[in-house]
Structures are given as structure tokens and as C-alpha cells.
Amino acid sequence: MEHSIALITGTTSGLGNAAARLLAKEGWHEIIVTGRSLAGAQQAAAQLAAENKTQVFTPLELDLNAPASVQSALAELVKRGRPIDFLLLNAGLVGGKKRVLTAAGIEVDQAPLLGHHQLTVGLLRANLLSPNARIVIAGSEAARGDVPLFSFTDVAAFAAKYHHGDRTAAVEELVRSGPNVKYQANRAYADAKLVVAWWAAALARRLPSGMAAYAVSPGSTPDTQAVRNGSWALKWLMVPIVKLIPGMSQTPETAARRYLQASEFGTDVSGQFFASPPKKLTGPIEAMRQPHFHDRASQEAAWQAVVAVSGVDLSYPASLTAAS
């Protein structure tokens, strides 16, 4: 993959900011820095340029919770007309004790995926991803089902109980945190990251042959703002304990390197979810083998649910369809 243009969501702090610094050190020609406000993106770009002594950072306003903002960002990228080689869908957070919905009625843990879907589909439609582009979306070990305090919903059972077996409807209800979903902060987060892994697998099947997509967990990284809205038990019990135990936490830079490592993976592993080994939160990443990640029916249900909620599906320009 050519180290030319990268776009990172959630770049104003945390893992996105760390990834931008690492990409600059690796010699990327342009790194598009996004923030919910233009001022925030500009400030982050200026700070990164000063720290790295290089002017490769371009600010872009992008609020993933606002479809109009995503459309504006896409319009700006179309105007520039320069294809992106590495799309890092990093933005996200852990929800709080109480259920919070966005203005569009989306549960806040799930909301970043809707914006990331709209952005990715928009770039593909506009032919603004290079022929060998790599797409990495942030996952989490929480989706494995073996992390203390975190568990995920059995979507097949949920669909059978409330939706006559319709998994698409079941995933859509999870995304919206509907009436049959009993809200629990950590479960909502685990569900969101499971849907992310399924969505990445479904996306990979829809990409032209040279492109690839992966879900990648950055691993346990307490020194970010991702858990700022998290539960009391998460912020004041689990995080401090994790930071005290050797091998249970890592720096944002170490975590962000996982994203960069995945950007060099081949198309043969496109669609897979990479994370720490089972029951681990740090260390080398590997492809997850748990059966629930490889359930094609759930993968397609996740894609169709995101399409239904976002109103955005994937159709290619003729040039890309012919190439694939």
C-alpha cells in the first residue's frame, strides 16, 4: 500500500491522535485529521504539526453523529479529489450508566458505526479510496465474551424471542436500544463492538478485489478519554485494577500501532477481527476464531440493519464495478 493519504476519525485525542503521530513518523504524505468541530480539528492538526515538525496534517470537520456533517465532509473530500489509501475508523466511546440516544435515536455506543458506514460508503461511491486501500475500524476484546464485566447479547436468541427469528430486526433494535433491550452500559458497548466486527466482515465481501477491511481491537488502553462516560465500576474499579496488573494495559502509542500493523495486512484476511489472544487485553494481535464472529447470517444482518438505520447502502460507480 502506498503511504500517501490517510484519514483518521476521532483524531483530536487518544488513539486517533497517537495513530496520526505514528503515521507521520512513517512518512505518510498527508494525514487528514478529523474532529467534531473544525476548530477542534484545526487545533489538533496544528499541535501534531508542531510536535512532529512536519506539515502533513490536514484538518477536516466530521461529526459522526450528524449525517449532515458526514455529507459535508464527503463533499469536501470530493472537491479535493485525492483518493485515500488508509481509512482508520477510530472514533468511539463507552456509554454511561444511563441510556443515551443521539438526536437520530441511536444508542451512543452504536452511533459511531452509523457515521463510519455513511463515510465509508460515501468514499466508495465517489471512487475516493485507492485501488489497494485498507480500511480499519476499531473493535474491542469486549466482543469476545471473555472480558470481566462485559458480556454481549445472543442475537440469534434475541431475534427468536422478539422478532420471529429476524436477525436484521434484532440488530436494528440493539442499535436503537429499543423497548426489548434492557440497557446495561458494558453490555451496550460489547454489543456495539460485536456489530462492528460483523459489519467489517460484511463490508469486506462488498469491496473491490484490491481493497481490504478489518476490525482491530486496540487493546486495553486506560489512558484515553474513551471511558469518560463509563460506569462507576468501570472507571473506578476495573480501570485502576487493570493499570496495576502487568500486561493488562498499554500506552496509546502501543495500541495505535495495532491499527498500523493491520493496514499492512493482505486481502487474504480481509473481513477478519484482530485482537489480543483469548482472555488477554494486550500483546500481539491475532485473528479471532470464536464462532460468533464468523456467523455469516449475523454479519449480513448487521450490514442490513446499519443500512436500514442509516438509509445508506453501497452501490459503485461503473468504473469500480468493472474493475472488480
Side-chain angles (χ1 to χ4, degrees), residues 301-322:
W303 178 269
Q304 296 302 335
V306 170
V307 167
V309 176
S310 67
V312 176
D313 203 352
L314 185 53
S315 58
Y316 289 110
S319 58
L320 266 184
T321 304

Side-chain angles (χ1 to χ4, degrees), residues 276-296:
S276 309
K279 299 185 179 180
K280 302 287 185 183
L281 298 177
T282 61
I285 57 174
E286 60 185 53
M288 295 292 97
R289 304 298 181 193
Q290 293 89 339
H292 64 276
F293 289 123
H294 298 273
D295 186 328
R296 185 161 180 150

Side-chain angles (χ1 to χ4, degrees), residues 196-240:
V196 160
W198 286 338
W199 176 86
L203 170 65
R205 286 193 286 272
R206 290 163 167 80
L207 292 175
S209 59
M211 298 183 194
Y214 324 95
V216 177
S217 171
S220 173
T221 318
D223 292 328
T224 70
Q225 297 183 34
V227 299
R228 62 188 180 274
N229 297 320
S231 66
W232 179 91
L234 181 63
K235 286 193 295 184
W236 305 111
L237 181 61
M238 185 172 179
V239 167

Side-chain angles (χ1 to χ4, degrees), residues 236-260:
W236 305 111
L237 181 61
M238 185 172 179
V239 167
I241 290 174
V242 161
K243 292 175 74 171
L244 289 173
I245 302 174
M248 291 288 282
S249 65
Q250 58 193 355
T251 66
E253 289 71 23
T254 299
R257 282 193 186 95
R258 290 182 170 200
Y259 294 150
L260 274 64

